Amino acid sequence: MQIAAPYLLFLGNTPHRLDAKTASGILDWRPQLCAGQCRLDAGTVDLGLPDMTPAAAAAAGVRTLVIGVATFGGALDEAWIDTLLAAIHAGLDIASGMHARLGENPRIAAAARQAGVRLFDVRHADARFDVGSGRKRSGRRMLMVGVDCAVGKKYAALAIHRAFARRGMAADFRATGQTGILIAGAGIAIDAVVADFAAGAAEALSPDNEPGHWDVIEGQGSLFHPAYAGVSLALLHGSQPDALVLCHDPRRTHIDGYPDYPLPTLAACIAANEQAARLTNRAARCIAVALNTRDMGESQRADAFARAHGETGLVVFDPIATGADAVVETLLAEARELPQASPHTPGDHP
């Protein structure tokens, strides 16, 4: 079913923009869909949209309340329930990217049935997938990988897809998380797939295609994250990427939420991701670094770019501040040098 726009972005009571990454992503890439924001108190993050109650939003023509907050573990906050019920009573559909299904809350399920509104749980992959086959597929693939979680992998993929489109090149953005799915209208919530089938889901997301076609695949997690490395590895194996783009926030010093885990160097992160990717594509290599420099001044950004380029020797870009034209230009310049994916054969090791 199609989620109906315009949206009211629900920000709950979080004071942190990073926790509101679903709402921020939709606003940054599909602003035409966003009519307003709903905040529970004055300390809640402000995205600059008109503040609306669910009733006022419905009166203004809003069709769906989108839960724009990503909580740790993906649970619905009890403090939100009354507002979600008010949205249902106002006739709004609700779309959620949480692990907890909306319909599993008895009050929400009953209210939705009575009001005749729809509940969308976009973070759930109800389709059945095969286990990963490792079969070489036609076409080309680019996967975003991260030094940490929430560093801009989705933004990097969308910026690169936009750069491909500007040149009239065949490419698709492949969403692997709830926000990407809400932006693209399709995709697979890879972290909701049973672990044995996650690599197979990544294969299904990026099927055979024309030789010059690029699938630009949103990444998830980080190989260096103590909780979310598994989903990153599944994408690396199932995507069979020809090209990797490393995504990083240069202001961080440790894994977000894990102060005892310092960030790896960019070089170490590239080496680990290339090694993992080469299990299913021996030609996989990192071609660029995407930096999240939001709220940095020009001199700070320039310094961050210089440090990243000095450490890696790669093209460095910010998906919002600079766009990703340089990445596509690099690919075009190296078109004859970047080989097709090579299948893994028993006994081969990267």
Side-chain angles (χ1 to χ4, degrees):
M1 292 186 290
Q2 185 69 35
I3 299 174
Y7 299 156
L8 174 66
L9 301 181
F10 178 68
L11 302 173
N13 48 6
T14 181
H16 305 297
R17 190 182 182 98
L18 188 61
D19 293 337
K21 63 179 184 178
T22 296
S24 296
I26 298 170
L27 179 61
D28 283 341
W29 294 95
R30 296 292 185 271
Q32 70 276 13
L33 302 180
C34 305
Q37 63 185 17
C38 179
R39 303 185 296 157
L40 295 186
D41 57 55
T44 301
V45 64
D46 185 352
L47 298 185
L49 290 167
D51 284 299
M52 294 182 174
T53 65
V62 167
R63 302 286 302 281
T64 304
L65 179 145
V66 175
I67 296 177
V69 183
T71 62
F72 193 80
L76 288 174
D77 191 325
E78 279 298 318
W80 302 350
I81 302 303
D82 286 345
T83 301
L84 300 182
L85 292 173
I88 291 171
H89 295 320
L92 300 181
D93 296 336
I94 299 181
S96 170
M98 314 299 284
H99 279 304
R101 291 180 184 262
L102 291 165
E104 291 175 349
N105 182 289
R107 296 173 65 196
I108 291 175
R113 283 194 301 270
Q114 184 175 2
V117 304
R118 301 176 297 173
L119 304 176
F120 295 95
D121 291 297
V122 300
R123 199 171 184 170
H124 289 269
D126 293 323
R128 297 179 64 88
F129 301 103
D130 294 327
V131 298
S133 69
R135 181 183 67 83
K136 179 182 180 296
R137 304 190 298 285
S138 58
R140 295 186 182 275
R141 288 157 193 86
M142 184 186 303
L143 175 66
M144 310 301 113
V145 296
V147 176
D148 191 6
C149 292
V151 290
K153 294 182 286 290
K154 172 177 60 271
Y155 278 49
L158 286 162
I160 292 168
H161 177 254
R162 179 179 287 173
F164 275 127
R166 276 200 291 262
R167 286 163 176 75
M169 299 173 65
D172 283 296
F173 166 67
R174 302 298 190 184
T176 62
Q178 67 271 25
T179 308
I181 292 170
L182 286 164
I183 291 169
I188 296 172
I190 200 76
D191 63 359
V193 178
V194 173
D196 276 358
F197 305 98
E203 291 183 0
L205 185 69
S206 55
D208 286 298
N209 222 309
E210 296 299 319
H213 178 278
W214 281 93
D215 274 337
V216 185
I217 303 165
E218 177 189 10
Q220 297 294 330
S222 167
L223 288 181
F224 292 85
H225 198 289
Y228 303 131
V231 68
S232 306
L233 190 62
L235 282 169
L236 281 161
H237 289 168
S239 296
Q240 294 183 352
D242 300 282
L244 301 171
V245 174
L246 180 65
C247 304
H248 177 50
D249 185 334
R251 290 158 292 198
R252 292 196 195 171
T253 59
H254 58 79
I255 298 294
D256 186 46
Y258 293 79
D260 294 333
Y261 286 80
L263 291 185
T265 65
L266 299 185
C269 199
I270 288 170
N273 279 278
E274 286 183 338
Q275 182 181 25
R278 286 171 183 167
L279 179 75
T280 54
N281 180 357
R282 289 172 293 179
R285 65 188 179 104
C286 189
I287 63 165
V289 177
L291 294 184
N292 176 359
T293 64
R294 183 191 291 270
D295 299 327
M296 281 189 179
E298 289 296 330
S299 62
Q300 290 177 301
R301 180 178 297 119
D303 288 345
F305 275 37
R307 287 195 302 272
H309 178 72
E311 184 175 349
T312 66
L314 299 174
V315 168
V316 181
F317 70 103
D318 180 300
I320 298 297
T322 69
D325 289 332
V327 179
V328 177
E329 289 165 6
T330 298
L331 288 175
L332 291 173
E334 299 180 352
R336 294 186 179 181
E337 299 177 20
L338 192 64
Q340 286 281 357
S342 300
H344 171 74
T345 55
D348 286 337
H349 297 282

